[in-house]
Amino acid sequence: MTQFGEAFLAAFIGLAGGIAVGSGMVAFLVVLDIIPRLAQITRSFSKIHAYEAAVVLGSLLFTWVDFSDAKVHLFPMGAAVVGIFAGCFVGMLAAALTEIINVLPILAKRVGMGSYMILLLMAMIFGKVVGSLFEWLFY
């Protein structure tokens, strides 16, 4: 394979992976209704467009930071502020997941897999463990 072909293949795989991950993240945010739920809990429906803009701009900014060689030298309290925001994001996703986990038994019963619920949950758990181990050990 030529050098151009290898570069094209790498670009294609990278673009396809990015589209898959981005689509999954958007679907995740839409299915869990994180932004409308945040506006509902904080009683700030008038600021829902600001929440959406913050998610989009944050995604774009940190994607650029990830791809660039930019280094941000923060003082310890600045790093703590970034950590707090990252913790809030992870906490909101975890809270949204706990709300949606109630849907699994209902979905399993509706599609006729009620008797296989334990197997379904075990498959999800083992898939997460194997995927995490693969990423930690090989990347």
Side-chain angles (χ1 to χ4, degrees), residues 22-36 55-56 59 89 92-93 96:
S23 301
M25 186 63 186
V26 168
F28 191 61
L29 289 172
V30 169
V31 166
L32 294 180
D33 282 338
I34 289 177
I35 295 173
V55 169
V56 170
S59 297
F89 178 75
M92 284 183 7
L93 283 179

Side-chain angles (χ1 to χ4, degrees), residues 18-120:
I19 289 172
V21 169
S23 301
M25 186 63 186
V26 168
F28 191 61
L29 289 172
V30 169
V31 166
L32 294 180
D33 282 338
I34 289 177
I35 295 173
R37 187 81 168 135
L38 178 65
Q40 178 186 10
I41 290 171
T42 59
R43 293 182 178 87
S44 58
F45 285 107
S46 62
K47 295 182 175 41
I48 197 163
H49 294 296
Y51 294 146
E52 292 169 348
V55 169
V56 170
L57 291 175
S59 297
L60 290 174
L61 173 72
F62 286 106
T63 299
W64 175 77
V65 169
D66 189 35
F67 282 127
S68 70
D69 287 331
K71 301 219 182 323
V72 179
H73 300 286
L74 296 176
F75 55 96
M77 288 306 293
V81 170
V82 171
I84 287 172
F85 282 123
C88 288
F89 178 75
V90 170
M92 284 183 7
L93 283 179
L97 276 175
T98 58
E99 285 189 15
I100 201 164
I101 200 76
N102 297 335
V103 173
L104 287 177
I106 297 168
L107 178 66
K109 287 179 185 174
R110 292 224 175 148
V111 297
M113 292 184 62
S115 60
Y116 300 107
M117 190 64 196
I118 288 288
L119 293 174
L120 179 64

